[in-house]
Amino acid sequence: MAVRLDEKPAGEARQRKPRARNSPPRSPVTRQSARATRNSEIVYRDLRDAIINVTLPPGTSLVEKDITETYGISRTPVREAILRLAEERLVDVVPKSGTFVARIPVTELQEAIVARKALEEVCVREATAKASKSQLMALRAVIQRERELAEAGNEQAFHEADNAFHAGIASAGGYPGIWTMIEKIRVQVERYRRLTLPQDGRMEMIVAEHAAVLDAIEQGNADAAVAAMTSHLNKLQIDIGTFQDLWPDYFLFDVK
Amino acid sequence: MAVRLDEKPAGEARQRKPRARNSPPRSPVTRQSARATRNSEIVYRDLRDAIINVTLPPGTSLVEKDITETYGISRTPVREAILRLAEERLVDVVPKSGTFVARIPVTELQEAIVARKALEEVCVREATAKASKSQLMALRAVIQRERELAEAGNEQAFHEADNAFHAGIASAGGYPGIWTMIEKIRVQVERYRRLTLPQDGRMEMIVAEHAAVLDAIEQGNADAAVAAMTSHLNKLQIDIGTFQDLWPDYFLFDVK
DNA sequence: CTTGCATAACTAGTATACAAGATATTTTAC
DNA sequence: GTAAAATATCTTGTATACTAGTTATGCAAG
């Protein structure tokens, strides 16, 4: 079953070839829009959203052939999408057997929250030190938008604005990439969070907490800003017990 | 070019099907060893190592067909490997054109180091609070092993022991998964680091710094432990200027 | 010699056929 | 009727042929 590796040094992939036919692109961003419309990308996004929204709950069977028919495309792009999901631990693929939406790893949840707090703390502290006036104004605008969306009761858009606030803090701190890291770390937590019913006044509370963070930043009080952010993120603290009763099969405990 | 999405709600992948032929596996880890021997996995590891070791420098062209012939396998598993690398931003794949080893994103380097410091700080602090005696003994053993490997001049094994120390700290703090996160974040930094020539006495210095961290942990002095770890990680600080002269095409600046 | 263009060669994206193993179903023996 | 074995039917893994777009190359015109 294993590959033939007998006579080769492994990892030597055309280097000596003197031709060097085409040079690497200076800006690899060029075709990024094209990439977004690739079939595998579409399938990936759809499935990923459905899994995170718990539209596809843990344990659901994903059959490549079915997805193939749904989208009217072949297995190759579908497979690519599923492999990406497997890497994010959103699905488990069992060779020659089946692919299933993965359970939510409880241990990972705790660690993800801890990690996020640590990273956001850095961002907030740095943002306090070196945010530009325009960045602060932009953050104010985001909070105002949150307020409007909360009033309108638009959960989805509010959620996006919420993310924009945190991304903005990271940018203001000079570490936009750290928000990207947080987003990757956050995936499983998000699945958990979507199981909780929207609570009354939750959005208003978030707006107030964001405002407290920004206030402290504007006052140049880094410690207060960090404290406000930490307090804000502490609300994410998970209480698995409740959900274990409701959906016992949704969670994975023995991550080992 | 785009997929047919006309009449479907997107993301509805067999859910109502009452059959539920096979239930999801209780322990998805079962076949993990099998996964490790999959062809795409082998190609992935080989290429990844070569890219991180800078055996395959940025800009190198990777041609699926060539790799296919090298390993004596078909394009499918090769493609899977390359797609995984693309996701880690280790390669840039330009549709219908070519695949190239990605340049090292300079901006990302700084952020990765900052993020790592933040995460390691949490681990060290927590490890000070709740490391078990056996965990501390294991860490001592790792340091001793580092000392022996430094003496023997075994760079590769030392490097692994180095990682084991940091992983051990994370475990002792109760957050083994955070080390996994760090490893993902660290990839590009590692490429940069491999460009630096091995410096005399570097290994010995690392051993001493690790010992300082562990000493503070054993004394229950969290602040000192964190300070020691931060000081240790500060040695990673990058000085891009030097390398920009030597290999100007290895780095990407305008990440945008 | 330079420039523009047609053309050929080569790339990754996709579709599809087949292989190998796991699970479900049926059949058979008792 | 029950249990075990044989068989059919699923699944994902792999190989390969084909498509469509990109880049290089050579030729012709100026």
Side-chain angles (χ1 to χ4, degrees):
Chain A
M1 185 201 196
V3 74
R4 289 197 277 117
L5 275 174
D6 313 318
E7 72 268 77
K8 40 238 14 160
E12 294 297 331
R14 112 130 53 151
Q15 201 174 355
R16 56 200 76 106
K17 218 155 192 175
R19 187 157 53 90
R21 178 173 156 261
N22 39 12
S23 54
R26 270 292 163 188
S27 62
V29 203
T30 319
R31 237 166 290 277
Q32 196 140 3
S33 61
R35 191 187 163 200
T37 61
R38 271 178 45 200
N39 288 347
S40 69
E41 185 72 18
I42 297 172
V43 176
Y44 168 74
R45 295 227 163 274
D46 285 355
L47 289 177
R48 187 171 189 277
D49 287 349
I51 293 172
I52 292 177
N53 289 331
V54 205
T55 311
L56 294 174
T60 308
S61 166
L62 296 180
V63 180
E64 291 178 3
K65 184 161 165 280
D66 291 3
I67 302 173
T68 275
E69 291 166 2
T70 305
Y71 286 87
I73 60 180
S74 80
R75 272 184 62 204
T76 308
V78 172
R79 256 183 87 66
E80 288 178 4
I82 287 181
L83 287 170
R84 286 177 69 181
L85 295 170
E87 209 141 334
E88 291 182 80
R89 304 187 58 74
L90 287 177
V91 303
D92 293 322
V93 28
V94 184
K96 316 298 174 82
S97 172
T99 301
F100 307 92
V101 176
R103 290 185 177 76
I104 301 172
V106 174
T107 321
E108 208 172 293
L109 290 184
Q110 304 285 5
E111 298 189 72
I113 292 175
V114 169
R116 175 173 181 182
K117 280 197 277 195
L119 295 177
E120 294 251 22
E121 173 173 338
V122 172
C123 291
V124 167
R125 178 155 273 127
E126 211 60 26
T128 306
K130 60 186 192 204
S132 72
K133 187 143 180 133
S134 68
Q135 288 171 322
L136 294 176
M137 289 170 67
L139 285 170
R140 274 282 166 228
V142 171
I143 290 181
Q144 178 58 29
R145 181 170 161 73
E146 287 176 351
R147 193 170 286 122
E148 293 164 6
L149 290 168
E151 203 164 331
N154 190 336
E155 278 268 358
Q156 176 60 30
F158 180 86
H159 185 242
E160 283 162 20
D162 185 344
N163 285 343
F165 179 77
H166 289 276
I169 297 274
S171 279
Y175 303 130
I178 291 188
W179 176 246
T180 310
M181 300 178 200
I182 293 175
E183 282 197 309
K184 285 179 192 158
I185 290 172
R186 212 167 59 106
V187 176
Q188 303 286 1
V189 179
E190 198 58 20
R191 296 177 74 196
Y192 166 84
R193 216 181 61 72
R194 299 292 176 91
L195 282 174
T196 75
L197 300 176
Q199 302 156 10
D200 263 5
R202 188 181 66 86
M203 290 190 281
E204 284 76 6
M205 183 153 52
I206 289 176
V207 173
E209 290 166 359
H210 283 185
V213 171
L214 187 51
D215 286 347
I217 290 176
E218 284 182 332
Q219 290 162 18
N221 189 340
D223 289 337
V226 168
M229 179 62 90
T230 301
S231 149
H232 171 51
L233 293 174
N234 275 338
K235 301 279 172 63
L236 284 177
Q237 220 62 284
I238 65 177
D239 171 27
I240 217 62
T242 323
F243 298 100
Q244 189 182 358
D245 295 342
L246 293 173
W247 304 285
D249 284 348
Y250 280 15
F251 299 95
L252 181 68
F253 292 88
D254 59 344
V255 184
K256 168 57 188 317
Chain B
M1 186 200 195
V3 75
R4 288 197 274 117
L5 276 174
D6 314 318
E7 74 267 79
K8 43 240 8 165
E12 294 297 330
R14 111 132 50 152
Q15 203 174 353
R16 56 200 73 107
K17 218 157 194 174
R19 187 158 53 90
R21 179 173 155 263
N22 40 12
S23 55
R26 269 292 161 190
S27 62
V29 203
T30 319
R31 238 167 290 278
Q32 196 140 2
S33 61
R35 193 189 162 198
T37 61
R38 272 178 44 200
N39 289 345
S40 69
E41 185 72 18
I42 297 172
V43 176
Y44 168 74
R45 295 227 162 273
D46 284 355
L47 289 177
R48 188 172 188 275
D49 287 349
I51 292 172
I52 292 177
N53 289 332
V54 205
T55 311
L56 294 174
T60 307
S61 166
L62 296 180
V63 180
E64 291 179 3
K65 183 160 166 281
D66 291 4
I67 302 173
T68 273
E69 290 165 2
T70 305
Y71 286 86
I73 60 179
S74 80
R75 271 183 64 203
T76 308
V78 172
R79 256 182 87 66
E80 288 178 4
I82 287 181
L83 287 170
R84 286 176 68 180
L85 295 170
E87 209 139 334
E88 291 183 81
R89 304 188 57 76
L90 288 176
V91 304
D92 292 321
V93 28
V94 184
K96 316 296 175 80
S97 173
T99 301
F100 308 92
V101 176
R103 291 185 177 75
I104 300 171
V106 175
T107 320
E108 207 172 293
L109 289 184
Q110 305 284 6
E111 299 190 73
I113 292 175
V114 170
R116 175 175 181 182
K117 280 198 277 195
L119 294 178
E120 295 252 22
E121 174 173 338
V122 173
C123 292
V124 167
R125 178 155 270 128
E126 211 58 26
T128 306
K130 59 185 191 205
S132 71
K133 187 144 179 133
S134 68
Q135 287 171 322
L136 293 176
M137 288 171 67
L139 285 170
R140 274 283 166 225
V142 171
I143 291 181
Q144 179 57 28
R145 180 169 161 73
E146 287 177 351
R147 194 171 287 121
E148 292 164 7
L149 290 168
E151 203 165 330
N154 189 338
E155 277 268 358
Q156 176 60 27
F158 181 87
H159 185 242
E160 283 162 22
D162 186 344
N163 285 343
F165 178 77
H166 288 276
I169 296 274
S171 279
Y175 303 130
I178 291 189
W179 175 247
T180 310
M181 299 179 200
I182 293 174
E183 281 197 309
K184 286 180 192 158
I185 291 172
R186 213 166 57 105
V187 176
Q188 303 287 0
V189 179
E190 199 56 20
R191 296 177 75 195
Y192 166 85
R193 215 182 61 73
R194 299 293 176 91
L195 281 173
T196 74
L197 299 177
Q199 303 156 9
D200 263 5
R202 188 181 66 87
M203 291 191 280
E204 284 75 7
M205 184 152 51
I206 289 176
V207 173
E209 290 166 359
H210 283 185
V213 171
L214 187 50
D215 286 348
I217 291 177
E218 284 181 331
Q219 290 162 19
N221 190 339
D223 289 338
V226 168
M229 178 62 91
T230 302
S231 149
H232 171 50
L233 293 174
N234 275 338
K235 301 279 170 63
L236 284 177
Q237 220 61 284
I238 65 177
D239 172 26
I240 217 63
T242 323
F243 298 99
Q244 190 181 357
D245 296 342
L246 292 173
W247 304 286
D249 285 347
Y250 281 15
F251 298 96
L252 180 67
F253 293 88
D254 59 345
V255 186
K256 159 64 189 314

